[in-house]
Amino acid sequence: ERVHSLIAQMSADNAAQSNAISEINMAVNSMDTATQQNAVMIERTSASAHVLHTDAERLASHAGQFRIS
């Protein structure tokens, strides 16, 4: 009787640990997905900033050609 009780408790504890590990795994996967999405966003933002900088330089160059008399 006591052995059955201990085995049942061990089984329940193992199931609880398994569920906890599954939840942790899902959380880690979610963080990984968010990190990858952030990396893509940063790459796009960097590319947009580069284009904007290039356009601003070109605009400044064109504006510099005008002379006010």
Side-chain angles (χ1 to χ4, degrees):
E1 180 83 23
R2 173 112 169 106
V3 172
H4 276 357
S5 175
L6 289 174
I7 291 174
Q9 184 61 46
M10 286 172 55
S11 177
D13 291 345
N14 285 341
Q17 284 181 341
S18 178
N19 287 339
I21 290 170
S22 292
E23 288 179 14
I24 290 169
N25 188 41
M26 289 185 337
V28 169
N29 285 336
S30 177
M31 289 189 303
D32 183 51
T33 299
T35 299
Q36 290 178 13
Q37 290 172 345
N38 286 344
V40 168
M41 223 176 352
I42 289 168
E43 286 179 17
R44 289 179 182 168
T45 301
S46 177
S48 295
H50 179 70
V51 168
L52 182 60
H53 178 73
T54 301
D55 288 349
E57 285 181 335
R58 189 177 308 127
L59 180 59
S61 173
H62 289 302
Q65 295 175 4
F66 290 100
R67 299 288 178 244
I68 300 175
S69 2

